[in-house]
Amino acid sequence: MATTKLLSDAEAEQIPAVKAVFDDIRATRKSDFVNNFWRGLANDPAALKRVWEQLKAVMVADSAIDPLTKEMIYIAVSTANGCSYCIHSHTAAARAKGMTDAQHGELVSIIGLAGQTNHLVTAMQIPVDPQFEVK
Amino acid sequence: MATTKLLSDAEAEQIPAVKAVFDDIRATRKSDFVNNFWRGLANDPAALKRVWEQLKAVMVADSAIDPLTKEMIYIAVSTANGCSYCIHSHTAAARAKGMTDAQHGELVSIIGLAGQTNHLVTAMQIPVDPQFEVK
Amino acid sequence: MATTKLLSDAEAEQIPAVKAVFDDIRATRKSDFVNNFWRGLANDPAALKRVWEQLKAVMVADSAIDPLTKEMIYIAVSTANGCSYCIHSHTAAARAKGMTDAQHGELVSIIGLAGQTNHLVTAMQIPVDPQFEVK
Amino acid sequence: MATTKLLSDAEAEQIPAVKAVFDDIRATRKSDFVNNFWRGLANDPAALKRVWEQLKAVMVADSAIDPLTKEMIYIAVSTANGCSYCIHSHTAAARAKGMTDAQHGELVSIIGLAGQTNHLVTAMQIPVDPQFEVK
Amino acid sequence: MATTKLLSDAEAEQIPAVKAVFDDIRATRKSDFVNNFWRGLANDPAALKRVWEQLKAVMVADSAIDPLTKEMIYIAVSTANGCSYCIHSHTAAARAKGMTDAQHGELVSIIGLAGQTNHLVTAMQIPVDPQFEVK
Amino acid sequence: MATTKLLSDAEAEQIPAVKAVFDDIRATRKSDFVNNFWRGLANDPAALKRVWEQLKAVMVADSAIDPLTKEMIYIAVSTANGCSYCIHSHTAAARAKGMTDAQHGELVSIIGLAGQTNHLVTAMQIPVDPQFEVK
């Protein structure tokens, strides 16, 4: 159960600032589906707009990293942060962008291995090698 | 400062199981540089071998995800886990594999955005949409 | 499902050290409701008393930070730690202490923004400015 | 050491999009000091602008939560996320906004207590009480 | 709901590499029960084998730390990482290896106390005493 | 650098409530060394006393888990939480209580393996098996 209300389409229609963002989400994604994250965020229309604009700029716009790789990076962060909702939504997004079962299996393995070496390094408090310095 | 000793090359030479892994690291990476992580792990030769074999299987072997993307995923996990050493070593590795400044900037932005939406979702305790279910 | 039993009122009545704390929780909060956290902790009566005494000292006693702000700080920590139960219980407590929908919306935005800049800073490994030093 | 360059004022002057944000930071804060976070983010001028605009909207604009409370919430999230730089910069900001030693001591205690109960709850996997449901 | 399929026994039987690991899990644990973790990992037979071999080497083989202590350490890490499944499975394993209610209560208290002092130390950014240095 | 002052012995002598705790730390540990954690916490004498009393109750008092195991559990939590100071201080404490190099190596491996399986489980969102339920 959420700690805030999730706005229905009927409720979103009543608030022009929310309706505008929901319309843009639907147009951008070419889909009628607006997922719960935006329905929760819609309680604060200014926050809804801020986060959506940012998501469009970082995840939707053309850029130097391809769309599927972006989703895999998102899954990686969300896993390390333990955000169940985010793992589900971005795994679905990655699959929609073509992630194969083999790629998902490898992604999971990389995340697991990084989790392991992160813990090993931290437990041993390994000092950074000077060779890694950015000039 | 580390919570364990970091083995020097001279010390590694004395322990055949450690020497064998250090030799393989150098041969695999075509470089004489063995970074501190392996020097700390070398206190437990069996662990050193286990982790190195795993890293080769996941990060070095040919696979469905390209080498640069793997490093970016590794950086993403390491950042969310706050592992400073790991962020440094894998950012250096990603650069060595061709990551451009533009890609690094985008990677940082994706990690930041995921960090934000992870926190927003968690604070609102958004329930998973049934549409995200794996069939 | 919990990894430990949750003590019912009938069970709590049988253990004087537990009954004493449950009675104090009810008297302090002027409510008959004892939430599940205390019912789990009651398996170890000494721990129950230790944590409750501490909570009274930090969260209930008069102090330099007002009660609602304390709850918002608690929600912030609990969100970053991904503790679903804690987010629910302290959001309910904050609402009971007068948190408005607008304040909740802003709290969520601050937590989200902090999550973002925490990740950005960590990914870039920004060094602390000397100006921030405590004299 | 950072994983990216920190732009000096001379370098920032060369990039109009960066200069514009640095100027706005200085004007908004009425101070010549631009801290390292922005100098690292300036490698990606679009990201610099996005994050700064968001910070202004959430942390600087008038709102339902007072400026000192906002900084304390920021410190709370940054501590749970282990972001050393962020803890330093926002503790300095909170002090500049009037946080007393007594308030800092209490803030630290609340964060510590939340850290404790978060871990206790998670170890016992306490189920959410139905009473905490948002209607 | 999982983000990947969980292989049934019938499906596992079809894939020799998966069947071999499932058989070894059953033989090693002297139990017919193969828990969901392995059924998810079985989507990537090579990963399944890698992780299982590692678990046998670290958790099952004779060693300098006794089996129950190992499980308690596992619970401690899993709690700090917020992995609900892992807390459940390793608490069950610890109980099967003889963990008493008193030991579980103490384990929970140690984890809680560590969570508290971790947060206190981080909020205050306490510098490491030179006395803790490893020679 | 800390975000708060670290009290010297001379300063601690001036505050009876602080002096009393420092004296008890020295007497309990049979050592003149008071580490920085207590010197930072001493800015809030009531918090100093609260945390020290709790540490004595959980970590010093006779109990169902032996002192070395307690320290290893503490290291495990501190590693997963990325608390560098805590890892250093409790690794030193574990060594003082007899932790061998072999035990430290195994502890590091268990923490690393748990870090890996925690991430694997979270990425796959494995559902808890009904067999793990506490009756």
Side-chain angles (χ1 to χ4, degrees):
Chain A
M1 65 204 195
T3 61
T4 194
K5 260 190 13 169
L6 302 179
L7 270 67
S8 67
D9 283 339
E11 290 164 322
E13 288 289 323
Q14 306 293 314
I15 310 163
V18 170
K19 180 180 172 355
V21 174
F22 278 27
D23 285 352
D24 193 29
I25 291 173
R26 288 182 164 116
T28 303
R29 295 181 165 174
K30 299 182 198 351
S31 158
D32 200 50
F33 175 49
V34 175
N35 55 306
N36 285 338
F37 173 55
W38 306 109
R39 296 181 184 282
L41 212 47
N43 289 284
D44 181 343
L48 174 68
K49 185 174 166 58
R50 258 196 327 264
V51 176
W52 169 246
E53 291 298 337
Q54 215 185 149
L55 193 117
K56 274 205 298 185
V58 175
M59 297 299 284
V60 180
D62 275 355
S63 70
I65 300 180
D66 67 277
L68 174 53
T69 297
K70 287 181 182 181
E71 292 296 347
M72 292 196 294
I73 292 165
Y74 223 109
I75 293 167
V77 175
S78 302
T79 300
N81 282 333
C83 181
S84 175
Y85 181 89
C86 314
I87 295 164
H88 276 102
S89 62
H90 289 278
T91 301
R95 288 215 158 96
K97 285 173 184 157
M99 182 175 67
T100 63
D101 284 351
Q103 286 173 318
H104 186 241
E106 284 187 17
L107 171 62
V108 169
S109 280
I110 298 166
I111 292 172
L113 181 60
Q116 182 179 50
T117 60
N118 289 179
H119 280 71
L120 293 171
V121 159
T122 302
M124 294 188 291
Q125 293 285 298
I126 304 293
V128 178
D129 304 75
Q131 286 87 339
F132 296 145
E133 189 157 7
V134 173
K135 262 95 164 165
Chain B
M1 63 205 197
T3 61
T4 194
K5 260 190 13 167
L6 302 179
L7 269 68
S8 67
D9 283 339
E11 291 165 321
E13 287 289 323
Q14 306 292 317
I15 311 163
V18 171
K19 182 181 171 354
V21 175
F22 278 27
D23 285 351
D24 193 30
I25 291 174
R26 288 183 163 116
T28 303
R29 294 181 166 173
K30 301 184 199 344
S31 157
D32 199 51
F33 175 49
V34 175
N35 54 306
N36 284 338
F37 173 56
W38 306 109
R39 297 181 184 281
L41 212 48
N43 288 286
D44 181 341
L48 174 68
K49 185 175 164 59
R50 256 193 331 262
V51 177
W52 169 245
E53 290 299 336
Q54 215 184 150
L55 192 117
K56 274 205 297 185
V58 176
M59 297 299 283
V60 180
D62 276 356
S63 69
I65 300 180
D66 68 277
L68 173 52
T69 297
K70 287 181 182 181
E71 293 295 348
M72 293 196 294
I73 292 165
Y74 223 111
I75 293 167
V77 175
S78 302
T79 299
N81 281 333
C83 182
S84 175
Y85 181 88
C86 315
I87 296 164
H88 276 102
S89 61
H90 289 279
T91 301
R95 288 214 158 98
K97 285 174 184 157
M99 182 175 67
T100 63
D101 285 351
Q103 286 173 319
H104 186 242
E106 283 185 19
L107 171 62
V108 169
S109 280
I110 297 165
I111 292 172
L113 182 60
Q116 183 179 50
T117 60
N118 288 177
H119 280 70
L120 292 172
V121 159
T122 302
M124 294 187 291
Q125 292 286 298
I126 304 293
V128 178
D129 304 76
Q131 286 87 340
F132 296 145
E133 189 158 6
V134 173
K135 259 74 133 187
Chain C
M1 65 203 195
T3 61
T4 194
K5 260 191 13 168
L6 303 178
L7 269 66
S8 67
D9 283 339
E11 291 164 320
E13 288 288 325
Q14 307 292 315
I15 309 162
V18 170
K19 180 182 173 352
V21 174
F22 277 27
D23 285 350
D24 193 31
I25 291 173
R26 289 182 164 116
T28 303
R29 295 182 164 172
K30 301 183 198 346
S31 157
D32 200 50
F33 175 49
V34 175
N35 54 306
N36 284 338
F37 172 55
W38 306 109
R39 297 181 184 282
L41 212 47
N43 289 284
D44 181 343
L48 174 69
K49 185 176 165 59
R50 257 194 329 263
V51 176
W52 169 245
E53 291 298 337
Q54 213 183 154
L55 192 117
K56 274 204 298 184
V58 174
M59 297 299 284
V60 179
D62 276 355
S63 70
I65 300 180
D66 68 275
L68 174 53
T69 297
K70 287 181 182 181
E71 292 296 348
M72 292 196 294
I73 293 165
Y74 223 110
I75 294 167
V77 175
S78 302
T79 300
N81 281 334
C83 181
S84 175
Y85 182 88
C86 314
I87 296 164
H88 277 102
S89 62
H90 289 278
T91 301
R95 287 216 158 95
K97 285 173 185 158
M99 182 173 67
T100 63
D101 284 351
Q103 286 173 319
H104 187 241
E106 285 187 18
L107 171 62
V108 169
S109 280
I110 297 166
I111 292 171
L113 181 60
Q116 183 180 47
T117 61
N118 290 178
H119 280 71
L120 293 171
V121 159
T122 302
M124 294 187 292
Q125 292 284 300
I126 304 293
V128 178
D129 304 76
Q131 285 88 340
F132 295 145
E133 188 158 6
V134 173
K135 264 122 213 149
Chain D
M1 64 205 197
T3 60
T4 194
K5 260 190 13 168
L6 303 179
L7 270 66
S8 67
D9 283 340
E11 291 165 321
E13 288 288 323
Q14 306 293 315
I15 310 162
V18 171
K19 181 180 172 353
V21 175
F22 277 28
D23 285 351
D24 193 30
I25 291 173
R26 289 182 163 118
T28 303
R29 295 181 166 175
K30 302 183 200 345
S31 157
D32 199 50
F33 175 50
V34 175
N35 54 306
N36 284 339
F37 173 56
W38 306 108
R39 297 181 184 282
L41 212 47
N43 288 285
D44 181 342
L48 174 69
K49 185 174 164 61
R50 258 194 328 263
V51 176
W52 169 246
E53 291 299 337
Q54 214 185 150
L55 192 117
K56 275 205 298 185
V58 175
M59 297 298 284
V60 179
D62 276 354
S63 70
I65 300 179
D66 67 276
L68 174 52
T69 297
K70 286 181 182 181
E71 293 295 347
M72 292 195 295
I73 293 165
Y74 223 109
I75 293 167
V77 175
S78 302
T79 300
N81 281 334
C83 180
S84 174
Y85 181 89
C86 315
I87 295 164
H88 276 102
S89 61
H90 288 278
T91 301
R95 287 214 158 96
K97 283 173 186 158
M99 182 175 66
T100 63
D101 284 351
Q103 286 174 319
H104 186 242
E106 284 185 18
L107 171 63
V108 168
S109 280
I110 297 166
I111 293 171
L113 181 60
Q116 182 179 49
T117 60
N118 289 177
H119 280 70
L120 292 171
V121 159
T122 302
M124 295 187 291
Q125 293 285 300
I126 305 292
V128 178
D129 304 75
Q131 286 88 340
F132 296 145
E133 189 157 6
V134 173
K135 262 86 157 178
Chain E
M1 64 204 196
T3 60
T4 195
K5 260 188 17 167
L6 303 179
L7 269 67
S8 67
D9 284 339
E11 290 164 321
E13 288 289 324
Q14 307 293 315
I15 310 162
V18 170
K19 180 181 173 349
V21 174
F22 278 28
D23 285 351
D24 193 31
I25 291 173
R26 289 182 163 116
T28 303
R29 296 183 164 171
K30 301 184 200 344
S31 158
D32 199 51
F33 175 49
V34 175
N35 54 306
N36 284 339
F37 173 55
W38 307 109
R39 296 181 184 283
L41 212 48
N43 288 285
D44 181 343
L48 174 68
K49 185 175 165 57
R50 260 195 326 264
V51 176
W52 169 245
E53 291 298 337
Q54 215 184 150
L55 193 117
K56 274 204 298 183
V58 175
M59 297 299 283
V60 179
D62 277 355
S63 70
I65 300 180
D66 68 276
L68 174 53
T69 297
K70 286 181 182 181
E71 292 295 347
M72 292 196 294
I73 293 165
Y74 223 109
I75 294 167
V77 174
S78 302
T79 300
N81 282 334
C83 180
S84 175
Y85 181 89
C86 314
I87 295 164
H88 277 102
S89 61
H90 288 278
T91 301
R95 288 216 158 96
K97 285 174 184 157
M99 182 173 67
T100 63
D101 284 351
Q103 286 173 318
H104 186 241
E106 283 186 19
L107 171 62
V108 169
S109 280
I110 297 166
I111 292 171
L113 181 61
Q116 182 180 49
T117 60
N118 289 178
H119 280 71
L120 292 172
V121 159
T122 302
M124 295 188 290
Q125 292 285 299
I126 303 293
V128 178
D129 303 75
Q131 285 87 340
F132 296 145
E133 188 158 6
V134 173
K135 258 76 130 178
Chain F
M1 63 206 198
T3 61
T4 194
K5 259 189 17 166
L6 303 178
L7 270 66
S8 67
D9 283 339
E11 290 164 322
E13 287 289 323
Q14 307 293 313
I15 309 163
V18 171
K19 182 181 170 355
V21 174
F22 278 28
D23 285 351
D24 193 30
I25 292 173
R26 289 182 163 118
T28 303
R29 294 181 167 174
K30 301 184 200 341
S31 157
D32 199 51
F33 176 49
V34 175
N35 54 306
N36 284 338
F37 173 55
W38 305 110
R39 297 180 184 284
L41 212 48
N43 288 285
D44 182 342
L48 174 67
K49 185 175 165 58
R50 259 195 327 263
V51 176
W52 169 245
E53 291 299 336
Q54 216 185 149
L55 192 115
K56 274 204 298 183
V58 175
M59 297 298 284
V60 179
D62 276 354
S63 69
I65 300 180
D66 68 276
L68 174 52
T69 297
K70 286 181 182 180
E71 293 294 347
M72 293 196 294
I73 293 165
Y74 223 109
I75 293 167
V77 175
S78 302
T79 299
N81 282 333
C83 181
S84 175
Y85 181 89
C86 315
I87 295 164
H88 277 102
S89 61
H90 288 278
T91 302
R95 283 196 214 269
K97 285 173 184 157
M99 180 175 68
T100 63
D101 284 351
Q103 286 174 319
H104 187 241
E106 284 185 19
L107 171 62
V108 168
S109 280
I110 297 166
I111 293 172
L113 180 61
Q116 182 180 50
T117 59
N118 289 178
H119 280 70
L120 292 172
V121 160
T122 302
M124 294 187 291
Q125 292 285 299
I126 304 293
V128 177
D129 304 75
Q131 285 87 339
F132 296 145
E133 188 158 6
V134 173
K135 262 87 153 175

